[in-house]
Amino acid sequence: GIPVYHYRQILELETGQVRIDRLSENVLGSLIPNLPYLALKRAADILSVVILAPVLIIMMAIIAALTKLDSKGPVLFFQERMGFRGEVFQMVKFRTMRERAVDDDVEAKRADSMTKNDDDRITRLGRFLRKARLDELPQAWNILKGDMSWIGPRPEAISLSQWYENEIPFYSYRHIVRPGISGWAQVNQGHVTDLDAVNSKLRYDFYYVKNISHWLDMLIALKTIRVVLGGFGAK
């Protein structure tokens, strides 16, 4: 009459991560998410954006004006990101860095996609927007289009995603669900780009994909509020 659990289940519950050092194709087969819940989540995403639209439009108009006054360059920043089921999409956000020229080669694009601690490319306003995550507000448009969700694994720049896929086994399995503005890895780990940290991030992403549910999404939403108020993990 005593329930017995595999040690991996206990480890996942305690850490909020799925081990990836001993994964196999059979183990990853269980990462197929709850399809009925995904459909419900998509409907909730659309409805919430429509309801919040008046507030979002006012906030974005103010931020757009401040961005224009703070530094030269366009208000919005567009970048190709790896999205749902490996489809590339154009992600939009408020520009938080100074305009710069980037060489047209893989190494240069990869380096430019990485945000360092105390990055001198970030503008004065951009530093605040990043800390409060307000630079992500225009991605409500990506949610309406179906590119993203409010909650899910954070989409990576194409140059970084291709690098990670070449270096980290099973990395592409994080694309099983729609990417999000906030996610389980973001509220637990913050922004990372180097390979060792991305390995840890992937363990969080797989935990989310494997356990995706209304309750986990609600927990991430509550933790996101803490992140926004405290600036946890921002760069």
Side-chain angles (χ1 to χ4, degrees), residues 1-26:
I2 300 175
V4 177
Y5 300 95
H6 194 280
Y7 80 96
R8 280 192 177 181
Q9 291 176 280
I10 304 301
L11 194 62
E12 288 177 15
L13 288 171
E14 289 295 320
T15 63
Q17 304 178 54
V18 171
R19 288 185 62 176
I20 61 174
D21 55 334
R22 296 183 182 178
L23 281 181
S24 67
E25 298 292 352
N26 288 338

mmCIF file with all atom_site columns, all heavy atoms in Angstrom, residues 1-26:
data_model
loop_
_atom_site.group_PDB
_atom_site.id
_atom_site.type_symbol
_atom_site.label_atom_id
_atom_site.label_alt_id
_atom_site.label_comp_id
_atom_site.label_asym_id
_atom_site.label_entity_id
_atom_site.label_seq_id
_atom_site.pdbx_PDB_ins_code
_atom_site.Cartn_x
_atom_site.Cartn_y
_atom_site.Cartn_z
_atom_site.occupancy
_atom_site.B_iso_or_equiv
_atom_site.pdbx_formal_charge
_atom_site.auth_seq_id
_atom_site.auth_comp_id
_atom_site.auth_asym_id
_atom_site.auth_atom_id
_atom_site.pdbx_PDB_model_num
ATOM 1   N N   . GLY A 1 1  ? 0.790  -1.217 0.000   1.00 0.00 ? 1  GLY A N   1
ATOM 2   C CA  . GLY A 1 1  ? 0.000  0.000  0.000   1.00 0.00 ? 1  GLY A CA  1
ATOM 3   C C   . GLY A 1 1  ? 0.827  1.274  0.000   1.00 0.00 ? 1  GLY A C   1
ATOM 4   O O   . GLY A 1 1  ? 0.285  2.369  0.127   1.00 0.00 ? 1  GLY A O   1
ATOM 5   N N   . ILE A 1 2  ? 2.160  1.157  -0.111  1.00 0.00 ? 2  ILE A N   1
ATOM 6   C CA  . ILE A 1 2  ? 3.028  2.342  -0.120  1.00 0.00 ? 2  ILE A CA  1
ATOM 7   C C   . ILE A 1 2  ? 3.423  2.659  -1.559  1.00 0.00 ? 2  ILE A C   1
ATOM 8   O O   . ILE A 1 2  ? 3.979  1.804  -2.252  1.00 0.00 ? 2  ILE A O   1
ATOM 9   C CB  . ILE A 1 2  ? 4.299  2.103  0.726   1.00 0.00 ? 2  ILE A CB  1
ATOM 10  C CG1 . ILE A 1 2  ? 3.913  1.792  2.173   1.00 0.00 ? 2  ILE A CG1 1
ATOM 11  C CG2 . ILE A 1 2  ? 5.231  3.311  0.652   1.00 0.00 ? 2  ILE A CG2 1
ATOM 12  C CD1 . ILE A 1 2  ? 5.085  1.416  3.050   1.00 0.00 ? 2  ILE A CD1 1
ATOM 13  N N   . PRO A 1 3  ? 3.123  3.863  -2.063  1.00 0.00 ? 3  PRO A N   1
ATOM 14  C CA  . PRO A 1 3  ? 3.499  4.201  -3.441  1.00 0.00 ? 3  PRO A CA  1
ATOM 15  C C   . PRO A 1 3  ? 5.014  4.278  -3.594  1.00 0.00 ? 3  PRO A C   1
ATOM 16  O O   . PRO A 1 3  ? 5.723  4.739  -2.700  1.00 0.00 ? 3  PRO A O   1
ATOM 17  C CB  . PRO A 1 3  ? 2.850  5.575  -3.665  1.00 0.00 ? 3  PRO A CB  1
ATOM 18  C CG  . PRO A 1 3  ? 2.692  6.141  -2.293  1.00 0.00 ? 3  PRO A CG  1
ATOM 19  C CD  . PRO A 1 3  ? 2.434  4.967  -1.390  1.00 0.00 ? 3  PRO A CD  1
ATOM 20  N N   . VAL A 1 4  ? 5.497  3.806  -4.729  1.00 0.00 ? 4  VAL A N   1
ATOM 21  C CA  . VAL A 1 4  ? 6.935  3.815  -5.017  1.00 0.00 ? 4  VAL A CA  1
ATOM 22  C C   . VAL A 1 4  ? 7.167  4.656  -6.267  1.00 0.00 ? 4  VAL A C   1
ATOM 23  O O   . VAL A 1 4  ? 6.500  4.460  -7.282  1.00 0.00 ? 4  VAL A O   1
ATOM 24  C CB  . VAL A 1 4  ? 7.468  2.384  -5.241  1.00 0.00 ? 4  VAL A CB  1
ATOM 25  C CG1 . VAL A 1 4  ? 8.951  2.420  -5.604  1.00 0.00 ? 4  VAL A CG1 1
ATOM 26  C CG2 . VAL A 1 4  ? 7.244  1.529  -3.992  1.00 0.00 ? 4  VAL A CG2 1
ATOM 27  N N   . TYR A 1 5  ? 8.106  5.593  -6.191  1.00 0.00 ? 5  TYR A N   1
ATOM 28  C CA  . TYR A 1 5  ? 8.400  6.484  -7.307  1.00 0.00 ? 5  TYR A CA  1
ATOM 29  C C   . TYR A 1 5  ? 9.828  6.267  -7.797  1.00 0.00 ? 5  TYR A C   1
ATOM 30  O O   . TYR A 1 5  ? 10.730 5.986  -7.005  1.00 0.00 ? 5  TYR A O   1
ATOM 31  C CB  . TYR A 1 5  ? 8.244  7.951  -6.885  1.00 0.00 ? 5  TYR A CB  1
ATOM 32  C CG  . TYR A 1 5  ? 6.852  8.299  -6.406  1.00 0.00 ? 5  TYR A CG  1
ATOM 33  C CD1 . TYR A 1 5  ? 6.532  8.270  -5.050  1.00 0.00 ? 5  TYR A CD1 1
ATOM 34  C CD2 . TYR A 1 5  ? 5.854  8.652  -7.315  1.00 0.00 ? 5  TYR A CD2 1
ATOM 35  C CE1 . TYR A 1 5  ? 5.256  8.591  -4.610  1.00 0.00 ? 5  TYR A CE1 1
ATOM 36  C CE2 . TYR A 1 5  ? 4.568  8.979  -6.873  1.00 0.00 ? 5  TYR A CE2 1
ATOM 37  C CZ  . TYR A 1 5  ? 4.280  8.945  -5.524  1.00 0.00 ? 5  TYR A CZ  1
ATOM 38  O OH  . TYR A 1 5  ? 3.019  9.254  -5.090  1.00 0.00 ? 5  TYR A OH  1
ATOM 39  N N   . HIS A 1 6  ? 10.018 6.400  -9.097  1.00 0.00 ? 6  HIS A N   1
ATOM 40  C CA  . HIS A 1 6  ? 11.359 6.362  -9.651  1.00 0.00 ? 6  HIS A CA  1
ATOM 41  C C   . HIS A 1 6  ? 12.105 7.612  -9.170  1.00 0.00 ? 6  HIS A C   1
ATOM 42  O O   . HIS A 1 6  ? 11.517 8.686  -9.037  1.00 0.00 ? 6  HIS A O   1
ATOM 43  C CB  . HIS A 1 6  ? 11.285 6.350  -11.188 1.00 0.00 ? 6  HIS A CB  1
ATOM 44  C CG  . HIS A 1 6  ? 12.575 5.974  -11.848 1.00 0.00 ? 6  HIS A CG  1
ATOM 45  N ND1 . HIS A 1 6  ? 13.605 6.871  -12.014 1.00 0.00 ? 6  HIS A ND1 1
ATOM 46  C CD2 . HIS A 1 6  ? 12.984 4.803  -12.398 1.00 0.00 ? 6  HIS A CD2 1
ATOM 47  C CE1 . HIS A 1 6  ? 14.606 6.272  -12.640 1.00 0.00 ? 6  HIS A CE1 1
ATOM 48  N NE2 . HIS A 1 6  ? 14.255 5.010  -12.884 1.00 0.00 ? 6  HIS A NE2 1
ATOM 49  N N   . TYR A 1 7  ? 13.409 7.458  -8.938  1.00 0.00 ? 7  TYR A N   1
ATOM 50  C CA  . TYR A 1 7  ? 14.171 8.585  -8.388  1.00 0.00 ? 7  TYR A CA  1
ATOM 51  C C   . TYR A 1 7  ? 14.138 9.795  -9.313  1.00 0.00 ? 7  TYR A C   1
ATOM 52  O O   . TYR A 1 7  ? 14.245 10.943 -8.867  1.00 0.00 ? 7  TYR A O   1
ATOM 53  C CB  . TYR A 1 7  ? 15.619 8.158  -8.102  1.00 0.00 ? 7  TYR A CB  1
ATOM 54  C CG  . TYR A 1 7  ? 16.511 8.131  -9.327  1.00 0.00 ? 7  TYR A CG  1
ATOM 55  C CD1 . TYR A 1 7  ? 17.325 9.234  -9.641  1.00 0.00 ? 7  TYR A CD1 1
ATOM 56  C CD2 . TYR A 1 7  ? 16.549 7.027  -10.171 1.00 0.00 ? 7  TYR A CD2 1
ATOM 57  C CE1 . TYR A 1 7  ? 18.141 9.212  -10.748 1.00 0.00 ? 7  TYR A CE1 1
ATOM 58  C CE2 . TYR A 1 7  ? 17.362 7.004  -11.272 1.00 0.00 ? 7  TYR A CE2 1
ATOM 59  C CZ  . TYR A 1 7  ? 18.162 8.097  -11.570 1.00 0.00 ? 7  TYR A CZ  1
ATOM 60  O OH  . TYR A 1 7  ? 18.964 8.087  -12.686 1.00 0.00 ? 7  TYR A OH  1
ATOM 61  N N   . ARG A 1 8  ? 13.984 9.559  -10.625 1.00 0.00 ? 8  ARG A N   1
ATOM 62  C CA  . ARG A 1 8  ? 13.937 10.686 -11.554 1.00 0.00 ? 8  ARG A CA  1
ATOM 63  C C   . ARG A 1 8  ? 12.710 11.559 -11.304 1.00 0.00 ? 8  ARG A C   1
ATOM 64  O O   . ARG A 1 8  ? 12.768 12.785 -11.436 1.00 0.00 ? 8  ARG A O   1
ATOM 65  C CB  . ARG A 1 8  ? 13.910 10.178 -13.003 1.00 0.00 ? 8  ARG A CB  1
ATOM 66  C CG  . ARG A 1 8  ? 15.283 9.783  -13.537 1.00 0.00 ? 8  ARG A CG  1
ATOM 67  C CD  . ARG A 1 8  ? 15.208 9.570  -15.035 1.00 0.00 ? 8  ARG A CD  1
ATOM 68  N NE  . ARG A 1 8  ? 16.521 9.264  -15.586 1.00 0.00 ? 8  ARG A NE  1
ATOM 69  C CZ  . ARG A 1 8  ? 16.743 9.054  -16.885 1.00 0.00 ? 8  ARG A CZ  1
ATOM 70  N NH1 . ARG A 1 8  ? 15.732 9.125  -17.724 1.00 0.00 ? 8  ARG A NH1 1
ATOM 71  N NH2 . ARG A 1 8  ? 17.957 8.788  -17.322 1.00 0.00 ? 8  ARG A NH2 1
ATOM 72  N N   . GLN A 1 9  ? 11.587 10.925 -10.958 1.00 0.00 ? 9  GLN A N   1
ATOM 73  C CA  . GLN A 1 9  ? 10.379 11.696 -10.655 1.00 0.00 ? 9  GLN A CA  1
ATOM 74  C C   . GLN A 1 9  ? 10.598 12.607 -9.457  1.00 0.00 ? 9  GLN A C   1
ATOM 75  O O   . GLN A 1 9  ? 10.185 13.771 -9.467  1.00 0.00 ? 9  GLN A O   1
ATOM 76  C CB  . GLN A 1 9  ? 9.206  10.743 -10.379 1.00 0.00 ? 9  GLN A CB  1
ATOM 77  C CG  . GLN A 1 9  ? 8.721  9.975  -11.596 1.00 0.00 ? 9  GLN A CG  1
ATOM 78  C CD  . GLN A 1 9  ? 7.638  8.993  -11.217 1.00 0.00 ? 9  GLN A CD  1
ATOM 79  O OE1 . GLN A 1 9  ? 7.911  7.903  -10.704 1.00 0.00 ? 9  GLN A OE1 1
ATOM 80  N NE2 . GLN A 1 9  ? 6.393  9.377  -11.435 1.00 0.00 ? 9  GLN A NE2 1
ATOM 81  N N   . ILE A 1 10 ? 11.242 12.063 -8.412  1.00 0.00 ? 10 ILE A N   1
ATOM 82  C CA  . ILE A 1 10 ? 11.509 12.852 -7.213  1.00 0.00 ? 10 ILE A CA  1
ATOM 83  C C   . ILE A 1 10 ? 12.475 13.987 -7.543  1.00 0.00 ? 10 ILE A C   1
ATOM 84  O O   . ILE A 1 10 ? 12.308 15.128 -7.099  1.00 0.00 ? 10 ILE A O   1
ATOM 85  C CB  . ILE A 1 10 ? 12.096 11.969 -6.096  1.00 0.00 ? 10 ILE A CB  1
ATOM 86  C CG1 . ILE A 1 10 ? 11.151 10.796 -5.788  1.00 0.00 ? 10 ILE A CG1 1
ATOM 87  C CG2 . ILE A 1 10 ? 12.364 12.792 -4.849  1.00 0.00 ? 10 ILE A CG2 1
ATOM 88  C CD1 . ILE A 1 10 ? 9.769  11.221 -5.355  1.00 0.00 ? 10 ILE A CD1 1
ATOM 89  N N   . LEU A 1 11 ? 13.508 13.675 -8.335  1.00 0.00 ? 11 LEU A N   1
ATOM 90  C CA  . LEU A 1 11 ? 14.503 14.686 -8.704  1.00 0.00 ? 11 LEU A CA  1
ATOM 91  C C   . LEU A 1 11 ? 13.853 15.824 -9.493  1.00 0.00 ? 11 LEU A C   1
ATOM 92  O O   . LEU A 1 11 ? 14.141 17.002 -9.264  1.00 0.00 ? 11 LEU A O   1
ATOM 93  C CB  . LEU A 1 11 ? 15.612 14.026 -9.533  1.00 0.00 ? 11 LEU A CB  1
ATOM 94  C CG  . LEU A 1 11 ? 16.897 14.831 -9.728  1.00 0.00 ? 11 LEU A CG  1
ATOM 95  C CD1 . LEU A 1 11 ? 17.570 15.105 -8.389  1.00 0.00 ? 11 LEU A CD1 1
ATOM 96  C CD2 . LEU A 1 11 ? 17.848 14.090 -10.663 1.00 0.00 ? 11 LEU A CD2 1
ATOM 97  N N   . GLU A 1 12 ? 12.956 15.478 -10.411 1.00 0.00 ? 12 GLU A N   1
ATOM 98  C CA  . GLU A 1 12 ? 12.273 16.491 -11.211 1.00 0.00 ? 12 GLU A CA  1
ATOM 99  C C   . GLU A 1 12 ? 11.375 17.365 -10.340 1.00 0.00 ? 12 GLU A C   1
ATOM 100 O O   . GLU A 1 12 ? 11.331 18.589 -10.494 1.00 0.00 ? 12 GLU A O   1
ATOM 101 C CB  . GLU A 1 12 ? 11.448 15.823 -12.315 1.00 0.00 ? 12 GLU A CB  1
ATOM 102 C CG  . GLU A 1 12 ? 12.295 15.225 -13.433 1.00 0.00 ? 12 GLU A CG  1
ATOM 103 C CD  . GLU A 1 12 ? 11.453 14.505 -14.466 1.00 0.00 ? 12 GLU A CD  1
ATOM 104 O OE1 . GLU A 1 12 ? 10.221 14.697 -14.474 1.00 0.00 ? 12 GLU A OE1 1
ATOM 105 O OE2 . GLU A 1 12 ? 12.032 13.748 -15.266 1.00 0.00 ? 12 GLU A OE2 1
ATOM 106 N N   . LEU A 1 13 ? 10.657 16.734 -9.400  1.00 0.00 ? 13 LEU A N   1
ATOM 107 C CA  . LEU A 1 13 ? 9.776  17.496 -8.517  1.00 0.00 ? 13 LEU A CA  1
ATOM 108 C C   . LEU A 1 13 ? 10.554 18.447 -7.618  1.00 0.00 ? 13 LEU A C   1
ATOM 109 O O   . LEU A 1 13 ? 10.112 19.556 -7.330  1.00 0.00 ? 13 LEU A O   1
ATOM 110 C CB  . LEU A 1 13 ? 8.940  16.532 -7.669  1.00 0.00 ? 13 LEU A CB  1
ATOM 111 C CG  . LEU A 1 13 ? 7.834  15.763 -8.403  1.00 0.00 ? 13 LEU A CG  1
ATOM 112 C CD1 . LEU A 1 13 ? 7.241  14.707 -7.488  1.00 0.00 ? 13 LEU A CD1 1
ATOM 113 C CD2 . LEU A 1 13 ? 6.751  16.715 -8.884  1.00 0.00 ? 13 LEU A CD2 1
ATOM 114 N N   . GLU A 1 14 ? 11.729 18.017 -7.169  1.00 0.00 ? 14 GLU A N   1
ATOM 115 C CA  . GLU A 1 14 ? 12.520 18.828 -6.244  1.00 0.00 ? 14 GLU A CA  1
ATOM 116 C C   . GLU A 1 14 ? 13.257 19.959 -6.955  1.00 0.00 ? 14 GLU A C   1
ATOM 117 O O   . GLU A 1 14 ? 13.446 21.036 -6.394  1.00 0.00 ? 14 GLU A O   1
ATOM 118 C CB  . GLU A 1 14 ? 13.539 17.939 -5.506  1.00 0.00 ? 14 GLU A CB  1
ATOM 119 C CG  . GLU A 1 14 ? 12.925 17.003 -4.480  1.00 0.00 ? 14 GLU A CG  1
ATOM 120 C CD  . GLU A 1 14 ? 12.290 17.772 -3.321  1.00 0.00 ? 14 GLU A CD  1
ATOM 121 O OE1 . GLU A 1 14 ? 12.876 18.773 -2.875  1.00 0.00 ? 14 GLU A OE1 1
ATOM 122 O OE2 . GLU A 1 14 ? 11.190 17.381 -2.881  1.00 0.00 ? 14 GLU A OE2 1
ATOM 123 N N   . THR A 1 15 ? 13.695 19.722 -8.193  1.00 0.00 ? 15 THR A N   1
ATOM 124 C CA  . THR A 1 15 ? 14.527 20.703 -8.892  1.00 0.00 ? 15 THR A CA  1
ATOM 125 C C   . THR A 1 15 ? 13.769 21.514 -9.937  1.00 0.00 ? 15 THR A C   1
ATOM 126 O O   . THR A 1 15 ? 14.232 22.577 -10.351 1.00 0.00 ? 15 THR A O   1
ATOM 127 C CB  . THR A 1 15 ? 15.705 20.010 -9.598  1.00 0.00 ? 15 THR A CB  1
ATOM 128 O OG1 . THR A 1 15 ? 15.201 19.114 -10.615 1.00 0.00 ? 15 THR A OG1 1
ATOM 129 C CG2 . THR A 1 15 ? 16.547 19.230 -8.595  1.00 0.00 ? 15 THR A CG2 1
ATOM 130 N N   . GLY A 1 16 ? 12.613 21.009 -10.399 1.00 0.00 ? 16 GLY A N   1
ATOM 131 C CA  . GLY A 1 16 ? 11.898 21.681 -11.476 1.00 0.00 ? 16 GLY A CA  1
ATOM 132 C C   . GLY A 1 16 ? 12.604 21.539 -12.807 1.00 0.00 ? 16 GLY A C   1
ATOM 133 O O   . GLY A 1 16 ? 12.397 22.332 -13.720 1.00 0.00 ? 16 GLY A O   1
ATOM 134 N N   . GLN A 1 17 ? 13.442 20.503 -12.941 1.00 0.00 ? 17 GLN A N   1
ATOM 135 C CA  . GLN A 1 17 ? 14.212 20.274 -14.161 1.00 0.00 ? 17 GLN A CA  1
ATOM 136 C C   . GLN A 1 17 ? 14.118 18.810 -14.581 1.00 0.00 ? 17 GLN A C   1
ATOM 137 O O   . GLN A 1 17 ? 13.902 17.936 -13.741 1.00 0.00 ? 17 GLN A O   1
ATOM 138 C CB  . GLN A 1 17 ? 15.694 20.618 -13.959 1.00 0.00 ? 17 GLN A CB  1
ATOM 139 C CG  . GLN A 1 17 ? 15.948 22.038 -13.481 1.00 0.00 ? 17 GLN A CG  1
ATOM 140 C CD  . GLN A 1 17 ? 17.429 22.288 -13.252 1.00 0.00 ? 17 GLN A CD  1
ATOM 141 O OE1 . GLN A 1 17 ? 18.250 22.079 -14.131 1.00 0.00 ? 17 GLN A OE1 1
ATOM 142 N NE2 . GLN A 1 17 ? 17.766 22.735 -12.048 1.00 0.00 ? 17 GLN A NE2 1
ATOM 143 N N   . VAL A 1 18 ? 14.302 18.569 -15.872 1.00 0.00 ? 18 VAL A N   1
ATOM 144 C CA  . VAL A 1 18 ? 14.386 17.212 -16.395 1.00 0.00 ? 18 VAL A CA  1
ATOM 145 C C   . VAL A 1 18 ? 15.841 16.936 -16.754 1.00 0.00 ? 18 VAL A C   1
ATOM 146 O O   . VAL A 1 18 ? 16.473 17.735 -17.458 1.00 0.00 ? 18 VAL A O   1
ATOM 147 C CB  . VAL A 1 18 ? 13.507 17.038 -17.656 1.00 0.00 ? 18 VAL A CB  1
ATOM 148 C CG1 . VAL A 1 18 ? 13.779 15.694 -18.327 1.00 0.00 ? 18 VAL A CG1 1
ATOM 149 C CG2 . VAL A 1 18 ? 12.028 17.130 -17.272 1.00 0.00 ? 18 VAL A CG2 1
ATOM 150 N N   . ARG A 1 19 ? 16.396 15.846 -16.271 1.00 0.00 ? 19 ARG A N   1
ATOM 151 C CA  . ARG A 1 19 ? 17.789 15.511 -16.588 1.00 0.00 ? 19 ARG A CA  1
ATOM 152 C C   . ARG A 1 19 ? 17.948 15.270 -18.080 1.00 0.00 ? 19 ARG A C   1
ATOM 153 O O   . ARG A 1 19 ? 17.147 14.582 -18.700 1.00 0.00 ? 19 ARG A O   1
ATOM 154 C CB  . ARG A 1 19 ? 18.224 14.261 -15.819 1.00 0.00 ? 19 ARG A CB  1
ATOM 155 C CG  . ARG A 1 19 ? 18.431 14.489 -14.337 1.00 0.00 ? 19 ARG A CG  1
ATOM 156 C CD  . ARG A 1 19 ? 18.966 13.238 -13.662 1.00 0.00 ? 19 ARG A CD  1
ATOM 157 N NE  . ARG A 1 19 ? 20.272 12.842 -14.197 1.00 0.00 ? 19 ARG A NE  1
ATOM 158 C CZ  . ARG A 1 19 ? 20.973 11.809 -13.705 1.00 0.00 ? 19 ARG A CZ  1
ATOM 159 N NH1 . ARG A 1 19 ? 20.486 11.086 -12.709 1.00 0.00 ? 19 ARG A NH1 1
ATOM 160 N NH2 . ARG A 1 19 ? 22.140 11.506 -14.211 1.00 0.00 ? 19 ARG A NH2 1
ATOM 161 N N   . ILE A 1 20 ? 18.988 15.838 -18.655 1.00 0.00 ? 20 ILE A N   1
ATOM 162 C CA  . ILE A 1 20 ? 19.210 15.659 -20.092 1.00 0.00 ? 20 ILE A CA  1
ATOM 163 C C   . ILE A 1 20 ? 20.507 14.906 -20.388 1.00 0.00 ? 20 ILE A C   1
ATOM 164 O O   . ILE A 1 20 ? 20.816 14.639 -21.542 1.00 0.00 ? 20 ILE A O   1
ATOM 165 C CB  . ILE A 1 20 ? 19.239 17.010 -20.829 1.00 0.00 ? 20 ILE A CB  1
ATOM 166 C CG1 . ILE A 1 20 ? 20.377 17.892 -20.314 1.00 0.00 ? 20 ILE A CG1 1
ATOM 167 C CG2 . ILE A 1 20 ? 17.903 17.729 -20.693 1.00 0.00 ? 20 ILE A CG2 1
ATOM 168 C CD1 . ILE A 1 20 ? 20.539 19.182 -21.095 1.00 0.00 ? 20 ILE A CD1 1
ATOM 169 N N   . ASP A 1 21 ? 21.257 14.549 -19.321 1.00 0.00 ? 21 ASP A N   1
ATOM 170 C CA  . ASP A 1 21 ? 22.524 13.851 -19.561 1.00 0.00 ? 21 ASP A CA  1
ATOM 171 C C   . ASP A 1 21 ? 22.311 12.385 -19.912 1.00 0.00 ? 21 ASP A C   1
ATOM 172 O O   . ASP A 1 21 ? 23.203 11.753 -20.479 1.00 0.00 ? 21 ASP A O   1
ATOM 173 C CB  . ASP A 1 21 ? 23.448 13.972 -18.343 1.00 0.00 ? 21 ASP A CB  1
ATOM 174 C CG  . ASP A 1 21 ? 22.798 13.479 -17.056 1.00 0.00 ? 21 ASP A CG  1
ATOM 175 O OD1 . ASP A 1 21 ? 21.557 13.514 -16.980 1.00 0.00 ? 21 ASP A OD1 1
ATOM 176 O OD2 . ASP A 1 21 ? 23.529 13.057 -16.147 1.00 0.00 ? 21 ASP A OD2 1
ATOM 177 N N   . ARG A 1 22 ? 21.120 11.834 -19.607 1.00 0.00 ? 22 ARG A N   1
ATOM 178 C CA  . ARG A 1 22 ? 20.863 10.428 -19.916 1.00 0.00 ? 22 ARG A CA  1
ATOM 179 C C   . ARG A 1 22 ? 19.553 10.254 -20.671 1.00 0.00 ? 22 ARG A C   1
ATOM 180 O O   . ARG A 1 22 ? 18.874 9.244  -20.539 1.00 0.00 ? 22 ARG A O   1
ATOM 181 C CB  . ARG A 1 22 ? 20.828 9.607  -18.622 1.00 0.00 ? 22 ARG A CB  1
ATOM 182 C CG  . ARG A 1 22 ? 22.160 9.582  -17.884 1.00 0.00 ? 22 ARG A CG  1
ATOM 183 C CD  . ARG A 1 22 ? 22.093 8.705  -16.642 1.00 0.00 ? 22 ARG A CD  1
ATOM 184 N NE  . ARG A 1 22 ? 23.349 8.713  -15.921 1.00 0.00 ? 22 ARG A NE  1
ATOM 185 C CZ  . ARG A 1 22 ? 23.560 8.063  -14.777 1.00 0.00 ? 22 ARG A CZ  1
ATOM 186 N NH1 . ARG A 1 22 ? 22.577 7.357  -14.242 1.00 0.00 ? 22 ARG A NH1 1
ATOM 187 N NH2 . ARG A 1 22 ? 24.729 8.119  -14.179 1.00 0.00 ? 22 ARG A NH2 1
ATOM 188 N N   . LEU A 1 23 ? 19.213 11.241 -21.467 1.00 0.00 ? 23 LEU A N   1
ATOM 189 C CA  . LEU A 1 23 ? 17.980 11.152 -22.236 1.00 0.00 ? 23 LEU A CA  1
ATOM 190 C C   . LEU A 1 23 ? 18.131 10.167 -23.387 1.00 0.00 ? 23 LEU A C   1
ATOM 191 O O   . LEU A 1 23 ? 19.214 9.935  -23.907 1.00 0.00 ? 23 LEU A O   1
ATOM 192 C CB  . LEU A 1 23 ? 17.611 12.523 -22.805 1.00 0.00 ? 23 LEU A CB  1
ATOM 193 C CG  . LEU A 1 23 ? 16.940 13.507 -21.848 1.00 0.00 ? 23 LEU A CG  1
ATOM 194 C CD1 . LEU A 1 23 ? 16.638 14.801 -22.589 1.00 0.00 ? 23 LEU A CD1 1
ATOM 195 C CD2 . LEU A 1 23 ? 15.662 12.936 -21.283 1.00 0.00 ? 23 LEU A CD2 1
ATOM 196 N N   . SER A 1 24 ? 17.013 9.605  -23.788 1.00 0.00 ? 24 SER A N   1
ATOM 197 C CA  . SER A 1 24 ? 16.956 8.751  -24.978 1.00 0.00 ? 24 SER A CA  1
ATOM 198 C C   . SER A 1 24 ? 15.725 9.144  -25.766 1.00 0.00 ? 24 SER A C   1
ATOM 199 O O   . SER A 1 24 ? 14.867 9.891  -25.294 1.00 0.00 ? 24 SER A O   1
ATOM 200 C CB  . SER A 1 24 ? 16.865 7.271  -24.574 1.00 0.00 ? 24 SER A CB  1
ATOM 201 O OG  . SER A 1 24 ? 15.619 7.018  -23.930 1.00 0.00 ? 24 SER A OG  1
ATOM 202 N N   . GLU A 1 25 ? 15.614 8.657  -26.990 1.00 0.00 ? 25 GLU A N   1
ATOM 203 C CA  . GLU A 1 25 ? 14.450 8.974  -27.811 1.00 0.00 ? 25 GLU A CA  1
ATOM 204 C C   . GLU A 1 25 ? 13.158 8.507  -27.138 1.00 0.00 ? 25 GLU A C   1
ATOM 205 O O   . GLU A 1 25 ? 12.127 9.154  -27.226 1.00 0.00 ? 25 GLU A O   1
ATOM 206 C CB  . GLU A 1 25 ? 14.589 8.318  -29.195 1.00 0.00 ? 25 GLU A CB  1
ATOM 207 C CG  . GLU A 1 25 ? 15.796 8.810  -29.994 1.00 0.00 ? 25 GLU A CG  1
ATOM 208 C CD  . GLU A 1 25 ? 15.662 10.251 -30.427 1.00 0.00 ? 25 GLU A CD  1
ATOM 209 O OE1 . GLU A 1 25 ? 14.590 10.836 -30.241 1.00 0.00 ? 25 GLU A OE1 1
ATOM 210 O OE2 . GLU A 1 25 ? 16.633 10.808 -30.947 1.00 0.00 ? 25 GLU A OE2 1
ATOM 211 N N   . ASN A 1 26 ? 13.214 7.352  -26.459 1.00 0.00 ? 26 ASN A N   1
ATOM 212 C CA  . ASN A 1 26 ? 12.009 6.838  -25.805 1.00 0.00 ? 26 ASN A CA  1
ATOM 213 C C   . ASN A 1 26 ? 11.551 7.760  -24.682 1.00 0.00 ? 26 ASN A C   1
ATOM 214 O O   . ASN A 1 26 ? 10.356 7.975  -24.486 1.00 0.00 ? 26 ASN A O   1
ATOM 215 C CB  . ASN A 1 26 ? 12.275 5.435  -25.244 1.00 0.00 ? 26 ASN A CB  1
ATOM 216 C CG  . ASN A 1 26 ? 12.381 4.402  -26.351 1.00 0.00 ? 26 ASN A CG  1
ATOM 217 O OD1 . ASN A 1 26 ? 11.877 4.609  -27.434 1.00 0.00 ? 26 ASN A OD1 1
ATOM 218 N ND2 . ASN A 1 26 ? 13.060 3.304  -26.061 1.00 0.00 ? 26 ASN A ND2 1
#
